[in-house]
Amino acid sequence: MDDKEKQPVIRTDSEVSRDTGSVGSQDRPTRLPVEITDKGYALGEKIGSGGYATVYKATCSKMPDKQLACKYFDLTNNQQIVWREKCLKNELKIVRKHKHQHIVRTYDVFKTSHHAYIFMDFLANGSIGDYLERKKRPIDEKRAKKWSHDMLEALVYLHSKGVAHRDIKPDNIMLDNDFSDALLTDFGFSCCLTNNPSDRLMKGTICGTPIYSAPEVLSLAEGMAYDAKQADMYSMGVTLFEMLDYDKPFGNSVEKTMDYVSKQINRKYKFKKDVSLVAQSLCNSLLEPKPDKRMTSSAALEHNWFK
C-alpha cells in the first residue's frame, strides 16, 4: 500500500502534544468572538491538545475548499503568565509576519484578553514524526533529501529574517497531502531579533526538546548565551539522522544531561543503516558540536547531497 492509500493517525504539532499543563483537557469554546465569526470561521472536532493549546479542525465559509485547523489558547491560566508574555507573543508575531512555501500557512490570528486563535492549513498526513512511527523504518534517501531541502529553505528564510525556530524535530515538520513537500510548524519556542536580522541571535534560555537540542543549549550555564540560529542547525542534524537511520544518534532519552552532552561533543554516533557517504557528510557537518564550525542554513542548502 503506498502513502496515498494509507490514512495516518492524525496528531498535531509538538507544542500541542507536549504534556506540560492542563489546558489541553478543555472542551471546544462554545462561543467565538464576533470578529472571528464575521470572517466565516467555525470550529469542528478536537484533534489534539497539550500544555498550552488545543487544536481543532476548522472551516471558513469564505474558503469552502480549504481544510483548516485552529490552534486555540486559553489565556486565563495565571500560572502561564511568563509563557504568555514571551512565547505566545513571539509565536503570534512570527506567524502573522512570516510566510514561506515550506512553512504551514497561517490565514488569520485573533487575540482577546482571554483567548487566542491561530487559523492555519490542516494537513491530514501528519508530520515526519508520524510518518516514521507508521513506517517503523528509515525514510528512503530520495524522499529524505527532498524533505530536508524543504526544511533548509524554510530555515534560510527564517534566519535571514532574524528568526530562530528553537524546536526543530520530526514532529514539527508537516507533510502535504501527497507527501511531496515538507512544511515547518509550531513557533511556540521561536525567538526573533528586533534590529539587524543578519546579527547572531544570542539567547540565554534553555527551551525546545532536549533530545534534539544542541550541546551548547543543554549545557548552558547561568548568565551565558548561545546562537539560536546555529542551535537550529544542530537540531536539523539530529532530525536528518533520524530520517535516514530511523534511530536517533545519541539514544532515545536524555536521562543524564551531561552524559548526553559528552556523547554529542565526542560524536558518539554511528549510522546503522545503508546511508550514502554524501548524506552522512551533511549530517556530520550539522552535528558539529562547536557552533562556530557548524554549517549555517545557507551553506547546508548548497551541500553536494542536493546537487
Side-chain angles (χ1 to χ4, degrees):
M1 182 179 292
D2 64 24
D3 295 327
K4 294 182 179 180
E5 295 172 336
K6 186 174 182 178
Q7 292 301 312
V9 175
I10 296 170
R11 298 193 308 182
T12 57
D13 55 301
S14 69
E15 181 187 277
V16 175
S17 62
R18 190 178 297 114
D19 184 14
T20 54
S22 60
V23 176
S25 62
Q26 64 201 346
D27 295 325
R28 184 175 62 190
T30 55
R31 182 185 302 173
L32 295 177
V34 65
E35 61 265 33
I36 295 179
T37 56
D38 281 352
K39 283 200 168 187
Y41 291 108
L43 299 189
E45 65 179 292
K46 175 178 164 181
I47 55 176
S49 62
Y52 299 121
T54 303
V55 173
Y56 299 93
K57 282 189 177 180
T59 58
C60 181
S61 59
K62 298 179 181 180
M63 298 183 287
D65 296 330
K66 289 285 185 183
Q67 287 187 304
L68 303 179
C70 175
K71 193 173 183 180
Y72 165 69
F73 304 85
D74 184 345
L75 308 182
T76 61
N77 187 337
N78 291 330
Q79 295 179 343
Q80 298 176 356
I81 291 176
V82 173
W83 164 82
R84 188 161 66 238
E85 291 300 315
K86 293 184 177 181
C87 297
L88 179 61
K89 184 178 180 180
N90 278 340
E91 180 168 13
L92 297 182
K93 176 181 177 181
I94 289 166
V95 298
R96 277 191 182 112
K97 184 176 180 180
H98 298 295
K99 311 292 182 183
H100 188 271
Q101 63 179 335
H102 294 303
I103 295 175
V104 173
R105 182 173 179 178
T106 296
Y107 294 93
D108 270 306
V109 175
F110 301 90
K111 185 177 181 295
T112 69
S113 57
H114 299 299
H115 309 284
Y117 307 80
I118 302 175
F119 288 90
M120 65 189 86
D121 276 330
F122 170 70
L123 299 170
N125 284 328
S127 67
I128 288 180
D130 296 321
Y131 187 91
L132 285 164
E133 187 173 313
R134 293 194 302 272
K135 296 292 186 179
K136 305 294 184 186
R137 64 175 184 270
I139 297 169
D140 70 85
E141 196 164 311
K142 182 178 180 181
R143 178 165 275 175
K145 182 187 299 186
K146 173 61 170 68
W147 292 345
S148 298
H149 192 274
D150 291 348
M151 282 304 91
L152 288 170
E153 285 189 336
L155 286 173
V156 166
Y157 167 78
L158 289 171
H159 290 175
S160 73
K161 301 296 184 181
V163 175
H165 187 275
R166 295 207 293 179
D167 200 15
I168 300 293
K169 60 181 181 181
D171 284 346
N172 284 340
I173 304 172
M174 306 300 287
L175 299 172
D176 70 359
N177 292 334
D178 61 2
F179 294 91
S180 61
D181 291 340
L183 302 94
L184 188 60
T185 191
D186 192 351
F187 289 84
F189 286 134
S190 298
C191 58
C192 52
L193 286 169
T194 56
N195 45 19
N196 185 356
S198 64
D199 289 346
R200 297 173 69 198
L201 184 45
M202 304 303 294
K203 302 300 291 185
T205 305
I206 298 176
C207 65
T209 305
I211 205 164
Y212 295 94
S213 295
E216 66 269 20
V217 176
L218 292 175
S219 60
L220 188 68
E222 186 175 352
M224 302 300 288
Y226 61 89
D227 186 338
K229 295 179 185 178
Q230 288 305 91
D232 273 354
M233 300 313 297
Y234 195 92
S235 299
M236 186 65 216
V238 179
T239 297
L240 176 58
F241 186 100
E242 187 174 359
M243 290 167 66
L244 294 171
D245 196 75
Y246 185 64
D247 292 323
K248 297 176 180 65
F250 306 106
N252 293 316
S253 65
V254 186
E255 293 180 358
K256 296 181 179 179
T257 301
M258 295 317 297
D259 287 348
Y260 191 84
V261 170
S262 177
K263 292 179 184 178
Q264 293 177 310
I265 292 174
N266 292 293
R267 294 179 175 270
K268 296 292 186 179
Y269 64 87
K270 182 179 180 181
F271 285 95
K272 296 182 286 293
K273 307 299 188 293
D274 185 18
V275 178
S276 71
L277 291 178
V278 67
Q280 291 187 44
S281 170
L282 174 58
C283 207
N284 292 337
S285 297
L286 295 173
L287 292 176
E288 165 58 54
K290 296 180 180 178
D292 57 339
K293 294 184 177 181
R294 194 177 303 147
M295 266 192 169
T296 63
S297 54
S298 55
L301 198 58
E302 296 299 317
H303 191 272
N304 285 336
W305 191 39
F306 300 117
K307 298 177 181 179

